[in-house]
Amino acid sequence: MKTRIGILGYGNLGKGTEIAVAAADDMELAAVFTRRDPSAVTLLTEGVPVVNVSEIEQWTDKIDVLVLCGGSATDLPVQTPKYAGLFHVIDSFDTHARIPEHFANVDAAAKAGGKVAMISVGWDPGLFSLNRVYANAILPEGKDYTFWGKGVSQGHSDAVRRIEGVKNAKQYTIPVETALEAVRSGSNPELTTRDKHLRECFVVLEEGADAAKVEKEIKEMPNYFADYETIVHFISEEELLRDHAGMAHGGFVFRTGATGVNKEHKHVIEYSLKLDSNPEFTTSVIIAYARAIKRLADEGQTGAKTVLDIPPAYLCRQSAEELRAHFL
Amino acid sequence: MKTRIGILGYGNLGKGTEIAVAAADDMELAAVFTRRDPSAVTLLTEGVPVVNVSEIEQWTDKIDVLVLCGGSATDLPVQTPKYAGLFHVIDSFDTHARIPEHFANVDAAAKAGGKVAMISVGWDPGLFSLNRVYANAILPEGKDYTFWGKGVSQGHSDAVRRIEGVKNAKQYTIPVETALEAVRSGSNPELTTRDKHLRECFVVLEEGADAAKVEKEIKEMPNYFADYETIVHFISEEELLRDHAGMAHGGFVFRTGATGVNKEHKHVIEYSLKLDSNPEFTTSVIIAYARAIKRLADEGQTGAKTVLDIPPAYLCRQSAEELRAHFL
């Protein structure tokens, strides 16, 4: 019997989840829930009902795991605790500073409802978190480095768009190659976020706007750009839509540390992702963990979980015997 | 109360374990067991007893986790099942093809004794296995690549040493840079082990030996060298001891895969290690998992385990709350 997946919210993450479910032969999409008029939503998959979220409580016995595809700013802090009382749920909550609070809220709701609820699943938080934790446990004396990109930062793109005279914009966060090399060398450099990244902006001006003034305003914007090496390109709206519509992203996690009687042996652990589609990769991680949730639920576990709580074998379709024989 | 570690076998892995225990403030070394005369063994740590292995049964209530530091060829297939009946144990059994058989033997012994026994802990098998499993679960459609090196291959070094006229030798396995780049590009190349690696030999000749004949014999040796690009250097014994005594190693694990309605989005997951000391890094992994074994044992679990069965949080000294707040 396949694991029945429900999706709440049909934006980029919802579509990515739909695609990831289709690629998993042990899963099937049971329904998509939306706040919109269901007749206005067309899925990629044929024959799957689109249901208004007001009717979701009628689906509690037809869904094994509900994937919450809302945003971290306002949707998930409300939705995850709410639906964790009714379904086994999973979200990609990614506001790092608010994870402890979100975990506590979701944990209470899931325990009250006798459900399993995973939060903050994706690649950061998610796979990058796993790598930080494994590497720290193995090299207790060392330094951690996380680099993001090359990829679009939504927050920085929005900040550029708010400048007077800017019609549209995309901002890429790009790791600085010399900083990556310094980390790889094992020299344990001290690096701030701004030492590690440069910012490249592609900007479409409103007619008659002053390019020099816009460029100055971007480069001097506090917090967002002032402390960074920032490159600004002015392009046409046509070019922006043609060349910068993609959702590629990625990044690097390092831990460098030393062992030995006199700490004379250096070690470098490096993990990196190069992703053509941030939402599709994120939801591929989510669907692997949805499989784990089903197993935890079948074992009778309840409460909030993160990627740090899940044995790796639980993500896999294969049996423990197959994994030991072929992957260990 | 600190976790009390015992070490069986005081070679490179035993010494590495001793160093890793010293770096873990929640652990202490209780005893080192040896097949040798204990008076002939001097530890790095003062005040720790060295005990002949014939007396090990007197230590069952003084050791929380026994680290088995023997070799995979002949020691561990006997030792791990034997001691899994008496202690919670961990080993670094690395003969991939025999893991299922070793697991079954150790599992039966550990269950009979009510103990937890982890096998095949280190970096390959170990961390590389984890990365293969996570990446396969996330990208079900894709290809796996493992590269080893740069590092010394003991088996290949031994093969060179057996050639007539060779006094001493070291063989390095080195990843081929163009093969790494082809994988990183996401082009999913078909690569054999020999496409991925070249072999570099540093050879000390016996007096009067024929260098050309030795080089030919190395390069034409079936299985070991004949199918590989092989580089042979002749050096003095002094140079070999001075420049090639290190135990550096490392390697790369990749999975490249695609998502999307038409599999139009490529993704590259890359994990790599650059290690100055193979045994010290291996034992750093072992000590992190020894911490997990203690927790499993405290929960009342029994039987054989691998890295695929252990939640990442179990490797850490920090509480679940600390991990969520700082690493997720």
Side-chain angles (χ1 to χ4, degrees), chain A residues 25-46:
Chain A
D25 53 24
D26 58 341
M27 305 216 178
E28 63 187 9
L29 185 58
V32 172
F33 302 95
T34 178
R35 287 177 290 202
R36 291 180 269 171
D37 172 1
S39 68
V41 175
T42 305
L43 306 186
L44 302 166
T45 319
E46 286 189 14

Side-chain angles (χ1 to χ4, degrees), chain B residues 161-176:
Chain B
R161 280 190 213 107
R162 283 192 296 264
I163 293 173
E164 202 186 314
V166 172
K167 189 175 179 196
N168 204 344
K170 280 276 170 90
Q171 191 268 186
Y172 294 91
T173 302
I174 302 174
V176 173

Side-chain angles (χ1 to χ4, degrees), chain B residues 12-48:
Chain B
N12 287 329
L13 284 178
K15 286 195 185 79
T17 302
E18 182 181 16
I19 290 168
V21 169
D25 52 22
D26 58 340
M27 304 214 179
E28 63 186 10
L29 185 58
V32 171
F33 302 95
T34 178
R35 287 178 288 203
R36 291 180 270 171
D37 172 2
S39 68
V41 176
T42 306
L43 306 185
L44 302 166
T45 319
E46 286 188 13
V48 173

Side-chain angles (χ1 to χ4, degrees), chain B residues 278-297:
Chain B
N278 185 358
E280 286 179 11
F281 188 80
T282 298
T283 49
S284 296
V285 179
I286 285 173
I287 283 304
Y289 277 101
R291 186 175 292 122
I293 291 173
K294 179 68 165 60
R295 290 206 196 172
L296 295 175

Side-chain angles (χ1 to χ4, degrees), chain A residues 72-85:
Chain A
S72 296
T74 55
D75 296 332
L76 296 176
V78 176
Q79 287 177 349
T80 315
K82 179 172 176 182
Y83 295 112

